[in-house]
Amino acid sequence: MGILFEKDNFSLFVRGFVGTIELSALSALFALLLGIMLAAFRVSPVPVLRAFGTAWVTVFRNTPLTLLFFVVTFMLPRLDVHISSFTAAVAALSVYTGSFVCEVLRAGINTVPLGQAEAARSLGMGFGQTLGLVVLPQAGRAVIAPLGSVFIALPRNSAVAGAFNVFELFSVQKTWSEDSYPIFASFFWLALAYLAIGFSISSVLSLLERRMAVAR
Amino acid sequence: MTENSAGPGVPEDGRGTPLVSLRGVNKHFGALHVLQDIDLDIAQGEVVVLIGPSGSGKSTLCRTINRLETIDSGTIEVDGRPLPAEGRELARLRAQVGMVFQSFNLFAHKTVLQNVVLAQVKVGRVPKAEAEKTARELLERVGVGAQADKFPAQLSGGQQQRVAIARALAMNPKVMLFDEPTSALDPEMVNEVLEVMRSLAARGMTMVVVTHEMGFARSAANRVLFMADGRIVEQNTPEAFFTAPRSDRAKDFLSKILHH
Ligand SMILES: Nc1ncnc2c1ncn2[C@@H]1O[C@H](COP(=O)(O)OP(=O)(O)OP(=O)(O)O)[C@@H](O)[C@H]1O
Ligand SMILES: [Mg+2]
């Protein structure tokens, strides 16, 4: 277990840890924004937007994440789009996770009785106000737990980026095994790190859930 | 009777244009022809009660007036202006047409006060303090002033419906639509809601009310419209309609609801 404290392993580990957090946090942010937008599309009265939302979700929920990484890493440069490996990873993760966020939000929106939106519209609220002020806040509670599952999966999924030139936790493992450290020890520290991240996310979410339970 | 005259019981005040006007309105739900060539004029200050058997299209007719339901053909005008298509214009119009639902539909995540304030601020751009003042006055007026800081779920059905009326009134609507406002209430709460509606009528509010409350129709309505199978089959003053219905459909319907 002592490998963490040999040579400059500790700083390597910290770099990986920070890499995973940066990657996950940025992707989570974009996935959330994207998911809200896609969910709004999917419940909007405009057929073109609905079709777009449906197509997006169908394509990206059913594409293996690794394939998406291949696309952003190898296809984009061919189309003369040159972005850093990190940006590419954030793009792949956001696009992928966003489609899951969208579906969770849409399911949550469907738990809100139709009469709520009708009342909002009858008072003169537009589509955005109806969704933002009345429907989404009420979908919130139903959405927190499943949204939690999506976001807890994100740091784990981000490990794929390690295979595409992004330095994150899993790259630490690669380095260590190249340096032929015992595989058990390196896995132990990695597992601990992922566990810490996952635990933090679920703590924040259950706090949020409790806060929302009070607010009604 | 011709649909163009305002109908008996409506003061012929020569003010000309009706507040709400429907011409040749048709609507289908798939193969079902729910509204068939509806012509209807509602004068300023008039209280119209819509009755008829279940499925006759009363709710649908009511909801076309603020375009919660779209129509397939015909025209609907409110205050001399045709209903705009979906968008900002329509939202503005909806704010002028208040609607009260059978199931109250108060915003469950907002307090009673916030329910009445929200659209004033977000749609009407009224400053928050002013909106709260209006809201408290209206809540007081419908008799739920003491409940302002509770959530809807903490109120009785009758109280919730009165809040819903206050919420609609806060937008200062030109006409109010009521779709069976007392049907979801326990019997002992029906009257407190009808009382609020009567006082609204007495203040000169233009109202379209879908209800089977004959007492309300007799005491507050200027005109009763009887609908069946998507058509306005008969219309008359409440007195004349309830004592001497002309169509067989109406006779049949009244005999069912009055003796059971
Ligand atoms: N969204 C909808 N989609 C399909 N059919 C509908 C829809 N809304 C109403 N209908 C049908 O249209 C007809 C008229 O409905 P509407 O609700 O206007 O009747 P109503 O007179 O209000 O009846 P009730 O007294 O039961 O409320 C009914 O047969 C109903 O089943
Ligand atoms: Mg109805």
Side-chain angles (χ1 to χ4, degrees), chain A residues 45 114-126 129 133-135 137-138 214-216, chain B residues 63 66 68 91 94-95 97 99 101 105-110 118-119 122-123 151 167-168 171:
Chain A
L114 194 63
Q116 295 285 311
E118 284 191 341
R121 288 201 292 149
S122 79
L123 288 165
M125 292 187 204
Q129 290 180 322
L133 298 172
V134 175
V135 177
Q138 293 189 65
V214 179
R216 65 164 59 205
Chain B
R63 291 158 56 90
N66 67 353
L68 278 184
R94 283 202 181 115
V97 180
M99 180 143 200
F101 302 85
N105 297 346
L106 292 181
F107 303 134
H109 61 308
K110 299 272 181 201
L118 186 66
K122 299 293 181 180
V123 178
F151 282 91
R167 178 177 69 176
M171 303 308 287

Side-chain angles (χ1 to χ4, degrees), chain B residues 29 32 34 52-61 69 179-180 212:
Chain B
F29 280 123
L32 184 68
V34 268
S54 182
S56 55
K58 306 180 297 291
S59 298
T60 310
L61 178 58
E69 300 284 358
D179 189 3
E180 304 208 28
H212 291 161

Side-chain angles (χ1 to χ4, degrees), chain B residues 42-85:
Chain B
I42 299 168
Q44 175 87 48
E46 194 182 7
V47 177
V48 173
V49 160
L50 264 178
I51 71 171
S54 182
S56 55
K58 306 180 297 291
S59 298
T60 310
L61 178 58
C62 212
R63 291 158 56 90
T64 58
I65 298 176
N66 67 353
R67 214 170 178 273
L68 278 184
E69 300 284 358
T70 55
I71 56 176
D72 300 336
S73 66
T75 57
I76 300 179
E77 291 183 2
V78 174
D79 209 9
R81 295 182 38 202
L83 287 195

Side-chain angles (χ1 to χ4, degrees), chain B residues 220-232:
Chain B
N222 301 109
R223 180 159 50 138
V224 173
L225 302 184
F226 176 73
M227 277 190 85
D229 300 328
R231 292 179 186 280
I232 298 176

Side-chain angles (χ1 to χ4, degrees), chain B:
Chain B
M1 153 183 328
T2 67
E3 307 284 351
N4 284 346
S5 74
V10 179
E12 289 292 340
D13 57 7
R15 257 178 296 188
T17 49
L19 188 57
V20 178
S21 171
L22 287 78
R23 283 287 169 281
V25 169
N26 280 280
K27 165 138 189 110
H28 299 256
F29 280 123
L32 184 68
H33 198 168
V34 268
L35 295 181
Q36 310 190 17
D37 296 315
I38 302 283
D39 290 313
L40 173 63
D41 283 329
I42 299 168
Q44 175 87 48
E46 194 182 7
V47 177
V48 173
V49 160
L50 264 178
I51 71 171
S54 182
S56 55
K58 306 180 297 291
S59 298
T60 310
L61 178 58
C62 212
R63 291 158 56 90
T64 58
I65 298 176
N66 67 353
R67 214 170 178 273
L68 278 184
E69 300 284 358
T70 55
I71 56 176
D72 300 336
S73 66
T75 57
I76 300 179
E77 291 183 2
V78 174
D79 209 9
R81 295 182 38 202
L83 287 195
E86 206 69 45
R88 220 167 279 277
E89 278 292 294
L90 179 63
R92 199 166 305 144
L93 173 121
R94 283 202 181 115
Q96 300 171 6
V97 180
M99 180 143 200
V100 174
F101 302 85
Q102 180 175 350
S103 47
F104 328 134
N105 297 346
L106 292 181
F107 303 134
H109 61 308
K110 299 272 181 201
T111 64
V112 163
L113 186 71
Q114 290 168 338
N115 261 274
V116 186
V117 165
L118 186 66
Q120 289 188 71
V121 173
K122 299 293 181 180
V123 178
R125 306 267 167 235
V126 177
K128 186 136 182 277
E130 194 184 323
E132 287 192 356
K133 188 162 164 282
T134 308
R136 287 193 193 277
E137 279 166 13
L138 284 167
L139 289 171
E140 208 58 58
R141 190 166 129 201
V142 300
V144 287
Q147 322 293 332
D149 298 318
K150 292 189 181 162
F151 282 91
Q154 297 169 289
L155 268 55
S156 75
Q159 291 173 325
Q160 288 189 52
Q161 194 61 299
R162 286 182 283 152
V163 174
I165 294 173
R167 178 177 69 176
L169 287 177
M171 303 308 287
N172 214 353
K174 292 177 174 151
V175 49
M176 289 274 285
L177 311 172
F178 295 83
D179 189 3
E180 304 208 28
T182 58
S183 301
L185 298 177
D186 292 335
E188 74 270 21
M189 293 170 189
V190 169
N191 263 321
E192 63 192 47
V193 172
L194 291 181
E195 219 26 74
V196 168
M197 290 168 60
R198 274 197 198 95
S199 74
L200 260 187
R203 284 169 166 244
M205 177 60 79
T206 309
M207 296 163 63
V208 177
V209 185
V210 180
T211 186
H212 291 161
E213 294 292 335
M214 299 307 146
F216 174 80
R218 277 173 183 269
S219 65
N222 301 109
R223 180 159 50 138
V224 173
L225 302 184
F226 176 73
M227 277 190 85
D229 300 328
R231 292 179 186 280
I232 298 176
V233 175
E234 186 170 340
Q235 51 181 313
N236 216 327
T237 59
E239 197 52 40
F241 177 78
F242 290 120
T243 49
R246 280 166 294 177
S247 62
D248 290 339
R249 291 298 302 265
K251 282 177 192 158
D252 184 48
F253 176 75
L254 285 177
S255 74
K256 275 182 194 140
I257 61 164
L258 294 179
H259 316 287
H260 69 102

